[in-house]
Structure formats: structure tokens, C-alpha cells
């Protein structure tokens, strides 16, 4: 006898959603069967306080003006929408436009959310923010907002991610944040979130947990999306201005899903625009090494929300794998789970290899080094573009927007390793040929200049 | 959820209830606390994770705990993401998982401890493993093993509709937590949803030994009682007989976790028995408090 109603019952059908009206501005706490608050009672009061503060703030013209001012005069918004004409040749000849979140201050979309939440923290009278980070982009953005607004900042980062993203660890420290390497579990993003939650429950009276993705307990998914909606709003306006029409498809990478939900939001009520989220397929979804949560996961609860989850038959979280630290997360935001179930957005895996090929193509065709996370969206756009071209007609009449969520400076070491640019000592090949007498005998100690003068 | 689904679920419950004796079964955890109360003392509630260091040793340790004074045993399910646990319990549950622990074994542990002792045996678990097995199926197997019910650190009554239904059907206790941060409204709602006892979290933090018991514990207990709780037990940071004595003066039960897990780690089941005996000496009201 079947004990239970089937899991993941898509309780809302696309027809219902459209009949009910707009998919935009979904307030939470539930997105269909997903979302909610699967959290310890100790944190519920803090979530309520945050919810109340956020709901007031988003109706408050002063707050909205403050955000608009910071977006323009601190982050550098609006970010550009750049047509990638040479890259297009690799995508079936369709027109590809890049939403340039890589040009924001701190180098990714993450700044949109941290400024918003840090302002809310101040409104709540909190003096300290904590954050988790995978690739380091959210940690750097949090450290930046904390420095800018005079808040104390502690960032939890998996020890494995610290190794992969050492440059970002240094950036956070330069910005005055304390970085705590997390050595529990898989030593990546999910474990960093666990430790941040443990910190939060102990320090909730002074501390705001500045969650970096559109996941977690209510109000985080709806709130993080709110601060990123600017991406989709700008992109929609820009593409209309530059081409006179809406795109055929919008592509974004999905880890927790914050950049994707931000750009999707602008197009949710445009039924002609197909939305694609590209998950990290790692070494391939047929292997055990990937982070394709929607593709292969099943509903469960993790970090406060019900959503798709990579889990074993016992409900234990499965360690994810991706070359991209920012996508290396076994969960996904609940609104994406809902958009998947109702068929409004399509989620597909992109392997490490496909992402790195797209990374290389963009570098060489457009002079832009993308984040490896964003390279998953680029690889997806290549596929989508070819499919659109195969549908017939002039491919130049087809338009695809890719959310270029971050720049790749932080990924240079990983990319150099992937493309075989390093020697056996981990040095970039061709950079150790100088025949001049070494300036310093002990690496990292003293300065070459002093040695030379002596 | 569509009206049709809800209707189907209600139908399922009704036919299920008719078959089970659940609704008439008294709360095992409440009965254990009431026995202690009749003896003029608070109850001792002791936590151990299933499968640490092995399934058999976790059974031996839990039996030693019960035979040396614990009235209620909490058997924890090792979980990959234990956000409410401090380093000692994290290390123990991580080791259990590394040793190949599977959730199904928890029912064996519950049955073995229930068969061998008088203690009420509750399972303490993060919610995803229950959801994965299926809430009804989990409840059915727990009841079949003789378990008293569940303590759910990351499940609040707001999200617990399915569990409330299943626990009614199988006559299981549902122990929800209240915290120093709980508002009066939430306290009342949580106490009303609870069966067995209300778990008062003594402080804002995760599990782990502390030098002293937080003053907020007394306030949380008073607030839970004001909200109508008949039985309130205090946990988190309770690590020695002195703490037990202090809490036994105002609460119905005292919950000890990390100290017992440390004892098992360092001295095996015998050390757990010794610690339980020592802790239980602090239970009598007015015992030197």
C-alpha cells in the first residue's frame, strides 16, 4: 500500500499559474509545494523580524531611493547589455547578448543583494553580518558592503573552497572581514552555510545572516530575488531598446539560483521568452560527481527550505561536485523548483568540460574572461542558440540573452590548471625562465628591492 | 495543495485511524516523566546518537544510560547537516555515518532499548531523513519498534501538518522545541501542538557543554508553563550533576546530550552508566539546591 502521496506532486499546473495571473513578485513563504521555514524555533523570531523589516522597506520610498542610489553610484548600474557578435558564430548564428553583471563593483551580481540586506541589517540595529561563500564572490561582496556601511563581517568558507579561491580569501581580508575556513563535511558551500547558521543562532541579537543565494528559509528566497530583480528589469528594457523586441531565450547558471532568478524575473510574464537554468553537471550526470540538483535531485529540506535536493536513500545530503565553487551546492532555491515543476523554466546540466570550452570561446571571441559559474550559462547558450537555429528561419532573427553573472579573474588559477598552462611546480609555464639572479633568496620574505640595494 | 489532494489525505487518515489503536495510546514520554514526578523528582533525559561508534555499542550505551537513572532516552539519527549541533555531537554522528550507519538501523536501536529497559525511547532527528522515508512510513516503523515519538529540532509546528497527522494515527509523541526567542504567540502554538513534553532550549546556541546553565532557561520554562505546558524539560548546555540539580528545582526533566556522548567516546558504555548514575543524584527536588 502506498503510504504517502507521491513526493514532488506538482500541485500547481501551468494553466493554473497563468489563470491565477502573474508569476512575478511571488511573495513566499511558499512557491507551490516548495519554500517554507524548516528551521529551528530559536531562529524563527529573527526570521520574523527580518520579514517584517523587509516588507516595510520595500514599500518605503526612502529605502528604494537609497538602493537605487547605491546601485548607480556605488555598484555602477545599470550594467551593460553587450552584443557578442563573434561568440554568436559558435551559437548557431543567433544574436547573443551578454548581461554584464561582471562589470559591477566586486565583479559579480552578488553586490545587488548584499547592499540591500546590509541596509536591512542596519535598519534592524544589527552591528555584525555573517555570510557563507562558495566561490568567494558573495563573501567579497559581503565584506565590501560591511566595510562601506561600517558593519563587522565574518565569512564562513569551506576549506576546500579557500584553496580553490585563495585570491578571494585575501580580498575579503583586505576589506577587513574575518574568514573562517570550514573543515566539516565536504568543506564546501553547504558546510559553510551550516556553520553560519550555528553562528547565527548563538549571536542572533547582534547579527544578521546575510545569505547569498535565493534559497533558505522565508523570507530569504523572495527577498534575495527582490534585490536581484534589477538584473532582469534592466535586461528587458535594454534588449527592447537595442533590438526592438523580446529575446527568444534567457540563459543563466544555477547553483542556489540568485542570478538566474534575478534575470528570469524580468521575463516571467512574457510567455514567448524561454527561460533556461544551467546546473553544474560536473564530470557528467551519469557519474557521481556533479551538482545537477533539479536534473537528478528529489524534494527534501535543507537549510530551511523545501526544494530539490541531492540526497541518498536515507535523506543524507550527497556531496556535490563542480569545477565551479559557486555552483558546488546540493540544493537549489525553492522558486526554481516551482518554475521547473510548472514548466515555466527549463533546467539542464552543463559539464565541467562544456563550461570550460565556453569559457575559452568567450575569452577569445569577445575579450571577456567570464567566471566559471557564468561559463555554464554561456555553454548553455551555445546549445540553445544551435537549437533555435535548427528550428529554421534566419538565425540572425533569433535573440538569446546570457546572464554573465561574474568575471573570471578569480578563476585564472583554475583555468590555467585546466588548460595545461602550469608546469609541474604549479607555475605558469614560461614564467620561470629568467636568468637574472633571483632577487630574494627566501620566497615571500623581505623585498627584492632591499636585496638589490644591499 | 489542491482540494482534491487534501480530501484524499483526509480519507487516508480516517481509514488509518480506524485501524490503529493510536489515539487511545497514552504518551510514553509523559508517563515516564509522571513516574519521576510521583517519586518527587525531575526526570533525566539522556541523548545518544544511533550507530556511534557502532550500532551495537550505541544500544549497549543507551541501555546503560536507562539502567542508571535515565527515564527518557533520546536516540539521535546521524545526519549530514546537523545545524543545531556543536562539535562533539557533530564528530560522533559524522563517525557513525562514516562507519556506514543507515537510518533503518534506528528502529533496531529503539526496539533493543525499549525491550531491555523501562525507559521511554524517543528519536531525535532532523527532518529530511523522515521526509525521505515518508512521514507515515517512518511513524509506522517507529511505533512498531516500540518508540515513544520524535523530537524534531528543525521542524516547527507551522510545517508539521503531515507529522501531526501521522503521530496522531500511530499514537506517537511529538516533542517540539521552544526557545528564549519564542514569542508568547509561538510559545502557545508550539505547546498546543506538543505531545509528551515541551523541550525548552536553555540558551541561544547549539548543543555542547557549557560552564553554567543560562539564566534564560528558568524564564523559558515559566513561559512554557504559562502557555499551558504540563511537562517541560530543559536541554542544551547541561553537562554535570550541579546543572542537573539547578534545573531539577524548576523543570520537569533535565536533558543531557554532549556530556553523555563525550563519556561514551572516552570510556564506552560503562562510562555512560557511571555518568548517568552521577547525574541522576541531582534529580531530587531540594537535593542540596
Amino acid at each position: 500500500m502506498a503510504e504517502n502521496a507521491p513526493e514532488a506532486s506538482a500541485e500547481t499546473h501551468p494553466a493554473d499559474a497563468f489563470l491565477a495571473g502573474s508569476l512575478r513578485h511571488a511573495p513566499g513563504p511558499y512557491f507551490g509545494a516548495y519554500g517554507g521555514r524548516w528551521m529551528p524555533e530559536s531562529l524563527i523570531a529573527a526570521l520574523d523580524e527580518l520579514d517584517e523589516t523587509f516588507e516595510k522597506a520595500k514599500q518605503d520610498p526612502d529605502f528604494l531611493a537609497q538602493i537605487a542610489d547605491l546601485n548607480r553610484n556605488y555598484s555602477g548600474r545599470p550594467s551593460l547589455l553587450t552584443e557578442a557578435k563573434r561568440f554568436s558564430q559558435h551559437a548557431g548564428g543567433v544574436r547573443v547578448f551578454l548581461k554584464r553583471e561582471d562589470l559591477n563593483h566586486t565583479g559579480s551580481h552578488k553586490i545587488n543583494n548584499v547592499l540591500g540586506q546590509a541596509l536591512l541589517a542596519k535598519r534592524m540595529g544589527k552591528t555584525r553580518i555573517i555570510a557563507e561563500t562558495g566561490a568567494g564572490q558573495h563573501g567579497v561582496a559581503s565584506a565590501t558592503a560591511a566595510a562601506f556601511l561600517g558593519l563587522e563581517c565574518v565569512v564562513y568558507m569551506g576549506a576546500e573552497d579557500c584553496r580553490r579561491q585563495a585570491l578571494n580569501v585575501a580580498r575579503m581580508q583586505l576589506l577587513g572581514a574575518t574568514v573562517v575556513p570550514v573543515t566539516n563535511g565536504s568543506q564546501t558551500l553547504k558546510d559553510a552555510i551550516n556553520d553560519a547558521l550555528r553562528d547565527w543562532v548563538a549571536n542572533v541579537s547582534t547579527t544578521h545572516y546575510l545569505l547569498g543565494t535565493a534559497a533558505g528559509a522565508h523570507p530569504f528566497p523572495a527577498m534575495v530575488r527582490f534585490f536581484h530583480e534589477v538584473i532582469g528589469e534592466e535586461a528587458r528594457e535594454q534588449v527592447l531598446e537595442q533590438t526592438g523586441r523580446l529575446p527568444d531565450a534567457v540563459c543563466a547558471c544555477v547553483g542556489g539560483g540568485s542570478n538566474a532568478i534575478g534575470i528570469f524575473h524580468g521575463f516571467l510574464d512574457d510567455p514567448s521568452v524561454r527561460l533556461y537554468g544551467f546546473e553544474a553537471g560536473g564530470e557528467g550526470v551519469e557519474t557521481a560527481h556533479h551538482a545537477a540538483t533539479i536534473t537528478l535531485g528529489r524534494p527534501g529540506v535543507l537549510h530551511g527550505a523545501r526544494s530539490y535536493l541531492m540526497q541518498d536513500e536515507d535523506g543524507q545530503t550527497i556531496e556535490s561536485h563542480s569545477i565551479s565553487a559557486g555552483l558546488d551546492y546540493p540544493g537549489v532555491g525553492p522558486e526554481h523548483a516551482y518554475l521547473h515543476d510548472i514548466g515555466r523554466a527549463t533546467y539542464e546540466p552543463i559539464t565541467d568540460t562544456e563550461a570550460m570550452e565556453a569559457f575559452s570561446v568567450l575569452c577569445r571571441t569577445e575579450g571577456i574572461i567570464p567566471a566559471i559559474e557564468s561559463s555554464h550559462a554561456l555553454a548553455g547558450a551555445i546549445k540553445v542558440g544551435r537549437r533555435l537555429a535548427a528550428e529554421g528561419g534566419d538565425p540572425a532573427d533569433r535573440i538569446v540573452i546570457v546572464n554573465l553573472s561574474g568575471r573570471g579573474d578569480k578563476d585564472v588559477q583554475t583555468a590555467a590548471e585546466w588548460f595545461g598552462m602550469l608546469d609541474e611546480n604549479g607555475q605558469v609555464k614560461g614564467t620561470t625562465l629568467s636568468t637574472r639572479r633571483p632577487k630574494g633568496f627566501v620566497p615571500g620574505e623581505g623585498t627584492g628591492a632591499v636585496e638589490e640595494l644591499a | 495543495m489542491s482540494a482534491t489532494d487534501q480530501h484524499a489525505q483526509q480519507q487516508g487518515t480516517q481509514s488509518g485511524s480506524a485501524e490503529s489503536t493510536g489515539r487511545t495510546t497514552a504518551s510514553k514520554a509523559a508517563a515516564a516523566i509522571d513516574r519521576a514526578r510521583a517519586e518527587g523528582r525531575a526526570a533525566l533525559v539522556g541523548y545518544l546518537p544511533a550507530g556511534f561508534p557502532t550500532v551495537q555499542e550505541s544500544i549497549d550505551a543507551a541501555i546503560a544510560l536507562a539502567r542508571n537513572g535515565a527515564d527518557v532516552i533520546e536516540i539521535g539519527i546521524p545526519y549530514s547537516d546537523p545545524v543545531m549541533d556543536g562539535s562533539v555531537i557533530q564528530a560522533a554522528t559524522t563517525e557513525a555515518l562514516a562507519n556506514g550507519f543507515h537510518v533503518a538501523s534506528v528502529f533496531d536501536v529503539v526496539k533493543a532499548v525499549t525491550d531491555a529497559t523501562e525507559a521511554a525511547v524517543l528519536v531525535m532527528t532532523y527532518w529530511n531523513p523522515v521526509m525521505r522515508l515518508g512521514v507515515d512510513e517512518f511513524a509506522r516503523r517507529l511505533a512498531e519498534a516500540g518508540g515513544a515519538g520524535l523530537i524534531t529540532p528543525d521542524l516547527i509546528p507551522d510545517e508539521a501538518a503531515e507529522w501531526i497527522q501521522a503521530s496522531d494515527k500511530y499514537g506517537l509523541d511529538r516533542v517540539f522545541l521552544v526557545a528564549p526567542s519564542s514569542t508568547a504567540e509561538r510559545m502557545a502554538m508550539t505547546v498546543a501542538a506538543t505531545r509528551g513534553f515541551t523541550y525548552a532550549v536553555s540558551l541561544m546556541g547549539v548543543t555542547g557543554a557549557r560552564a553554567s546553565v543560562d539564566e534564560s532557561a528558568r524564564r523559558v520554562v515559566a513561559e512554557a508553563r504559562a502557555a499551558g505546558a504540563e511537562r517541560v524539560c530543559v536541554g542544551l548546555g547541561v553537562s554535570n550533576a550541579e546543572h542537573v540539580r539547578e534545573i531539577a528545582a524548576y523543570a520537569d526533566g533535565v536533558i543531557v546530550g554532549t556530556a553523555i556522548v563525550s563519556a561514551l567516546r572516552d570510556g564506552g558504555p560503562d562510562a555512560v552508566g557511571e555518568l548517568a548514575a552521577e547525574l541522576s543524584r541531582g534529580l531530587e527536588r531540594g537535593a542540596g539546591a
Side-chain angles (χ1 to χ4, degrees):
Chain A
M1 173 177 171
E3 317 80 54
N4 270 332
E7 288 190 58
S9 53
E11 281 146 354
T12 312
H13 296 284
D16 296 337
F18 284 111
L19 284 175
S22 175
L23 286 172
R24 303 183 77 217
H25 308 295
Y30 301 101
F31 305 88
Y34 305 104
R37 278 185 176 171
W38 307 81
M39 280 298 243
E41 171 65 20
S42 298
L43 289 172
I44 300 299
L47 292 168
D48 279 340
E49 181 191 18
L50 178 60
D51 191 25
E52 199 178 307
T53 307
F54 167 60
E55 288 298 328
K56 271 190 198 141
K58 74 180 191 189
Q59 312 287 346
D60 179 351
D62 290 345
F63 181 79
L64 299 176
Q66 206 175 2
I67 293 283
D69 175 60
L70 291 178
N71 279 346
R72 182 172 182 82
N73 297 313
Y74 188 72
S75 307
R77 302 203 73 91
S79 66
L80 301 178
L81 186 73
T82 304
E83 181 159 14
K85 290 184 178 166
R86 280 174 29 81
F87 181 84
S88 290
Q89 292 161 19
H90 296 263
V94 302
R95 296 178 75 183
V96 176
F97 290 80
L98 307 175
K99 181 57 179 162
R100 301 292 305 280
E101 294 297 298
D102 61 314
L103 295 177
N104 295 338
H105 179 42
T106 74
S108 80
H109 70 293
K110 296 290 186 185
I111 193 77
N112 305 328
N113 170 48
V114 297
L115 289 172
Q117 284 198 48
L119 287 174
L120 292 179
K122 294 202 81 156
R123 285 191 160 215
M124 292 184 289
K126 311 249 165 139
T127 56
R128 176 175 180 265
I129 58 171
I130 54 173
E132 82 296 337
T133 197
Q137 286 173 320
H138 175 59
V140 168
S142 298
T144 299
F148 180 65
L149 294 168
L151 296 161
E152 185 190 345
C153 180
V154 175
V155 180
Y156 290 90
M157 186 168 185
E160 172 62 15
D161 291 336
C162 290
R163 184 188 66 76
R164 289 193 281 191
Q165 302 288 350
L167 185 63
N168 272 341
V169 174
R171 290 169 78 196
M172 288 182 266
Q173 290 168 342
L174 288 170
L175 291 161
T178 304
V179 180
V180 181
V182 174
T183 53
N184 302 323
S186 58
Q187 311 190 18
T188 61
L189 185 53
K190 85 172 174 72
D191 307 286
I193 294 175
N194 292 342
D195 264 12
L197 285 168
R198 292 180 187 117
D199 180 317
W200 199 28
V201 75
N203 299 293
V204 69
S205 59
T206 60
T207 300
H208 172 62
Y209 180 13
L210 210 167
L211 184 68
T213 193
H218 180 71
F220 282 105
M223 180 177 69
V224 173
R225 185 202 64 224
F226 176 81
F227 292 126
H228 285 306
E229 284 170 8
V230 65
I231 306 172
E233 282 161 13
E234 286 177 6
R236 191 172 186 280
E237 199 172 300
Q238 289 164 323
V239 76
L240 286 172
E241 192 182 300
Q242 291 182 32
T243 72
R245 51 164 294 215
L246 288 170
D248 295 277
V250 173
C251 300
C253 63
V254 177
S258 68
N259 88 80
I261 204 70
I263 195 163
F264 284 1
H265 193 262
F267 301 95
L268 274 179
D269 288 347
D270 298 314
S272 68
V273 181
R274 299 179 219 178
L275 306 176
Y276 292 93
F278 293 99
E279 302 189 303
E283 293 169 13
V285 292
E286 68 288 353
T287 72
H289 306 285
H290 63 81
T293 307
I294 293 183
T295 307
L296 286 182
R298 46 185 300 160
V301 291
L302 178 69
H303 297 144
R306 182 168 193 272
S307 187
Y308 282 89
L309 177 61
M310 288 173 56
Q311 54 179 319
D312 69 12
E313 71 281 1
D314 272 356
Q316 308 286 354
T317 309
I318 294 174
E319 290 182 11
S320 52
H321 169 91
S322 170
I323 190 170
S324 141
L327 302 182
D328 199 345
Y329 180 58
V332 66
E335 194 168 2
H336 286 294
Y338 174 64
L339 293 175
H340 165 76
D341 279 10
I342 66 169
R344 179 63 189 95
T346 305
Y347 297 84
E348 297 177 19
I350 293 292
T351 63
D352 291 350
T353 303
E354 290 169 327
M356 293 312 290
E357 276 170 18
F359 174 98
S360 177
V361 169
L362 194 77
C363 289
R364 288 161 184 253
T365 58
E366 300 294 339
I368 297 168
I369 300 178
I372 296 177
E373 289 76 18
S374 318
S375 300
H376 288 70
L378 291 164
I382 290 173
K383 291 185 177 183
V384 167
R386 288 176 182 168
R387 277 182 229 156
L388 286 170
E391 287 176 8
D394 183 353
D397 290 339
R398 302 294 200 132
I399 297 171
V400 174
I401 295 180
V402 183
N403 198 13
L404 198 68
S405 55
R407 67 180 182 221
D409 304 44
K410 68 183 178 58
D411 294 317
V412 166
Q413 177 75 20
T414 307
E417 205 176 319
W418 178 271
F419 292 116
M421 293 159 62
L422 303 182
D423 64 21
E424 64 280 9
N425 299 318
Q427 301 292 323
V428 177
K429 286 177 190 168
T431 61
T432 55
L433 301 175
S434 171
T435 55
R436 284 179 57 182
R437 188 167 164 266
K439 287 177 177 174
F441 293 107
V442 186
E445 189 175 302
T447 69
V450 172
E451 189 69 28
E452 220 167 15
L453 288 171
Chain B
M1 181 178 288
S2 76
T4 318
D5 288 340
Q6 268 176 358
H7 183 66
Q9 283 201 353
Q10 280 160 8
Q11 292 272 311
T13 309
Q14 279 157 9
S15 60
S17 306
E19 286 161 18
S20 84
T21 55
R23 284 179 191 283
T24 58
T25 308
S27 160
K28 291 183 179 179
I33 290 168
D34 290 350
R35 280 198 298 274
R37 187 182 275 170
E39 292 170 16
R41 62 178 178 86
L44 179 64
V45 183
Y47 165 92
L48 283 168
F52 173 72
T54 63
V55 170
Q56 188 54 51
E57 281 170 283
S58 66
I59 291 171
D60 295 344
I63 290 172
L65 187 56
R67 289 189 177 158
N68 287 279
D71 304 282
V72 178
I73 306 289
E74 292 179 16
I75 300 295
I77 296 184
Y79 177 54
S80 52
D81 295 275
V83 296
M84 277 294 281
D85 284 310
S87 56
V88 170
I89 292 177
Q90 276 183 55
T93 54
T94 301
E95 189 179 326
L97 289 172
N99 291 344
F101 173 82
H102 281 287
V103 169
S105 299
V106 81
F107 304 113
D108 301 334
V109 176
V110 167
K111 183 164 187 350
V113 179
T114 303
D115 287 351
T117 73
E118 299 295 308
V121 182
L122 290 161
V123 168
M124 179 149 188
T125 182
Y126 293 93
W127 197 242
N128 198 53
V130 180
M131 204 179 245
R132 183 66 180 85
L133 184 59
V135 177
D136 189 273
E137 173 67 1
F138 194 104
R140 188 188 67 75
R141 291 175 68 175
L142 181 60
E144 191 178 86
L150 289 180
I151 303 173
T152 52
D154 64 350
L155 180 73
I156 54 176
D158 318 53
E159 303 286 6
E162 210 179 346
W163 164 231
I164 288 172
Q165 213 170 67
S167 51
D168 279 347
K169 179 172 162 185
Y170 296 103
L172 294 170
D173 289 330
R174 36 176 192 262
V175 177
F176 292 110
L177 282 63
V178 293
S181 58
S182 300
T183 59
E185 294 80 21
R186 291 200 58 78
M187 193 75 83
M189 185 269 291
T190 305
V191 165
T194 291
R195 198 172 121 115
F197 64 86
T198 300
Y199 189 128
V201 171
S202 69
L203 52 82
M204 296 298 288
V206 297
T207 61
R210 307 288 199 287
S212 63
V213 178
D214 203 279
E215 251 317 292
S216 58
R218 189 185 292 267
R219 181 175 60 79
V220 181
V221 171
E223 287 172 0
R225 288 203 201 289
E230 289 174 43
R231 300 169 193 84
V232 187
C233 300
V234 172
L236 255 64
V238 185
S239 43
N240 58 43
E242 189 50 45
H243 296 165
V244 170
R245 226 183 313 279
E246 191 183 327
I247 294 167
Y250 60 85
D252 302 297
V254 188
I255 305 168
V256 185
T258 296
I260 294 172
V261 177
S262 298
L264 176 57
R265 179 194 63 201
D266 298 338
D270 290 347
V272 170
E274 284 163 30
L275 177 62
E278 184 193 324
L279 293 172
S280 63
R281 282 195 285 275
L283 293 171
E284 279 178 40
R285 298 219 163 77

